[in-house]
Amino acid sequence: MSAVKMDGKALSAKVRGSILAETEKLKAQGITPGLAVIIVGNDPASEIYVRNKEKACVECGFYSEKYALPEETTEEQLLGLIAQLNESPQISGILCQMPVPKHISEQAVIDAIDPRKDVDAFHPVNVGKIMVGNFDFVPCTPAGVMELLEEYKIDPKGKECVVIGRSNIVGKPMSMLLLHKHGTVTICHSRTKDLAEVCRRADILVAAVGKAGFVTPDMVKEGAVVIDVGINRNAEGKVCGDVDAAVLDKASFMTPVPGGAGPMTITMLMKNTLKAAKVQRGISE
Ligand code: NDP
């Protein structure tokens, strides 16, 4: 039996449609959500991500500003721009595309963004809020995975959830979101012993490793839900995930790459920006 492919592209279009509808209502009250996107240097992958974020802003009816800064921008200059955007009434959310050039501290950039405008949810205040379970913004990739699970009526409650990867942007927040939904969560990483055995316990297995074809069928329980967060390039230069295609025959549900978790990420950024615009004006729903 082949797994149901969880269609992130279709869900993404649906969610963007509902964001646009909400934006139209807000605009009627004189409020336009605004996103500022900053990119420093000329990383080609980052440029594609930024372009896609600008396109998504148009689709959702948002106002947007893009700041493409040269590689030699100093940390002081970048923090100065962020300070200005923190004060700008047109801007609800601020995003600085990572990675930034090595002479700039990533953490200093994250710390400089007003937590109320931190739509990536990387600021320590928002990380702490996720930990305690009282948050406005959810990191975009894990948030997208949770929406996909909900769409396909997969409830983590009481299930064995195994997350491979413990990064601050994917693995850790992913684990917390599954825990908040009452999953029994195990976080694996490069020092985990008997990884395959731990993974075989999973009812829901999330791979966020960054290695093409890393998860093989012997690591997957029959009927498990397999979420592939990885975005890699194989030997032929084709985009692929962390999960071997043969896992499709063992899983009950699986996210394809491309077209699964990936498209949801930017959509969740839009959702956070809409939320920011509302929260900043005291609108709760
Ligand atoms: P990181 O490199 O920051 O983290 C990778 C994690 O995988 C680490 O925790 C690492 O363990 C773990 N790992 C590496 N090798 C092994 C191994 N042999 N066994 C077990 N664990 C291992 O990556 P990210 O979290 O940033 O990204 C993960 C993947 O997701 C990438 O492919 C990235 O491109 C993709 N991604 C996709 C997004 C999307 O929009 N869908 C957004 C963000 C990322 P340790 O901590 O011990 O080193």
Side-chain angles (χ1 to χ4, degrees), residues 141 165-167 189-191 208-211 214 229-232 262 265:
T141 302
R166 57 173 164 178
S167 71
H189 44 77
S190 64
R191 301 337 190 262
V209 186
K211 291 185 177 162
F214 183 83
V229 172
I231 301 177
N232 314 296
T265 297

Side-chain angles (χ1 to χ4, degrees), residues 75 79 98 100 104-113 122-124 127 168:
E75 185 175 300
L79 298 188
M98 300 294 176
V100 284
I104 298 174
S105 154
E106 217 162 81
Q107 195 58 50
V109 171
I110 290 169
D111 291 348
I113 294 174
F122 293 165
H123 191 285
V127 174
N168 289 335

